[in-house]
Amino acid sequence: MGKIYLIAEATYGEEVTTSDELCFIEDADGKRILDDIFQITSFDDFMSSPNKEEFIQAVFPMIEDYFSEDGTFDFAMIAAIDRNTHIFQWGIKIERKDEDHIEYSCINWKDNPNRNISYHQHIYNITNNVKDGAYIQWIEGFVSSVLNNAEIECSAVSIDDIEPSKRIYLTVDGRTDYTIRTWDYTPIHYDDKGNPDSENIRYTLFKSVKDELSSHGEEVDEGIIPIYWDNEEV
């Protein structure tokens, strides 16, 4: 899997619609194509990529098709987002001039005065103490997604430990303990060798609350979040 995912946002008059995450592109036969683009986190590297124009020509009709039920959009933005930090890296701005013509321009999000533009509501400073190769590619992004879904406001998160396929232990802002209990790991995609490279994780988030005896876990949130990794890097 790549280092980024794509999110498209389309505008129709005053209405705005946002797509699901796009993590790869497949051709008509179901084979992944243009995987190199999904490895690019640098705007300069995207602009110099030999596959840039091919990628743009492939993704435009996909965006049109995705939003087709909403009508013909006036304006669209495709944002490449770092899978681990969920911070915007580069993007493509599309403007419809008339029925037959559109114009596009490429955007370096890091040129924006607010460099940390994030797809998530909050951006966390994460310290990851888990070094196991099976988790290192996805655990920071997964933890960030869990906390964002629960609307946990904080500035720093420490991933302290993990029980394989069970619990992830966190400390938030150096004082509050949380535990993510993972339940089901369901494969959603396989690589060319037939090995899973993405899964849906069903989880419950617990907060440690003091009581008269010691403490107990209080359920905060639950949900399902997809994770992705590159088998060649494991």
Side-chain angles (χ1 to χ4, degrees):
M1 279 294 173
K3 297 177 181 178
I4 60 154
Y5 60 91
L6 303 176
I7 291 288
E9 187 175 83
T11 302
Y12 311 81
E14 297 182 356
E15 299 294 324
V16 177
T17 304
T18 303
S19 74
D20 296 325
E21 296 178 10
L22 176 64
C23 302
F24 51 84
I25 296 176
E26 294 180 342
D27 63 17
D29 297 323
K31 182 179 179 180
R32 289 221 305 262
I33 59 174
L34 298 168
D35 272 357
D36 61 312
I37 297 293
F38 288 83
Q39 304 294 335
I40 297 176
T41 56
S42 162
F43 173 79
D44 291 337
D45 288 346
F46 174 67
M47 293 300 290
S48 62
S49 168
N51 292 329
K52 183 188 75 169
E53 292 302 322
E54 182 183 357
F55 167 77
I56 291 173
Q57 294 303 317
V59 79
F60 278 8
M62 293 178 63
I63 300 304
E64 289 262 31
D65 183 63
Y66 186 93
F67 294 114
S68 61
E69 291 186 1
D70 296 316
T72 302
F73 62 76
D74 305 311
F75 175 88
M77 176 71 72
I78 303 168
I81 304 171
D82 187 292
R83 185 184 303 286
N84 200 31
T85 64
H86 302 289
I87 294 175
F88 286 42
Q89 302 298 309
W90 49 267
I92 304 169
K93 182 168 62 175
I94 309 166
E95 185 177 359
R96 190 177 303 280
K97 293 301 183 181
D98 55 44
E99 185 176 342
D100 300 316
H101 299 89
I102 62 173
E103 290 185 357
Y104 75 88
S105 57
C106 298
I107 297 172
N108 184 358
W109 288 103
K110 293 184 178 181
D111 280 345
N112 192 290
N114 178 11
R115 288 174 62 94
N116 288 334
I117 300 175
S118 175
Y119 174 52
H120 281 171
Q121 182 179 359
H122 306 292
I123 301 174
Y124 305 106
N125 178 18
I126 295 181
T127 300
N128 181 15
N129 296 306
V130 175
K131 305 306 179 186
D132 189 326
Y135 301 95
I136 198 71
Q137 290 189 56
W138 59 264
I139 191 169
E140 292 183 30
F142 175 72
V143 167
S144 177
S145 296
V146 168
L147 296 179
N148 267 278
N149 286 353
E151 299 183 354
I152 304 297
E153 295 190 20
C154 64
S155 58
V157 179
S158 172
I159 305 175
D160 300 321
D161 199 3
I162 187 169
E163 296 176 348
S165 301
K166 290 187 179 180
R167 297 172 180 84
I168 302 170
Y169 297 97
L170 314 174
T171 303
V172 173
D173 282 341
R175 60 179 183 272
T176 306
D177 294 330
Y178 285 82
T179 302
I180 303 172
R181 177 62 166 97
T182 62
W183 305 101
D184 305 327
Y185 288 69
T186 305
I188 55 178
H189 190 270
Y190 297 84
D191 63 19
D192 293 338
K193 297 180 180 179
N195 299 312
D197 56 12
S198 59
E199 294 176 325
N200 276 330
I201 299 182
R202 185 169 63 91
Y203 70 91
T204 305
L205 176 65
F206 296 93
K207 178 181 179 180
S208 180
V209 178
K210 293 183 178 180
D211 54 32
E212 62 274 10
L213 298 177
S214 177
S215 63
H216 66 276
E218 182 177 284
E219 183 175 329
V220 176
D221 196 21
E222 62 180 2
I224 298 174
I225 289 174
I227 62 169
Y228 309 90
W229 64 92
D230 183 345
N231 285 318
E232 294 182 0
E233 295 183 12
V234 174

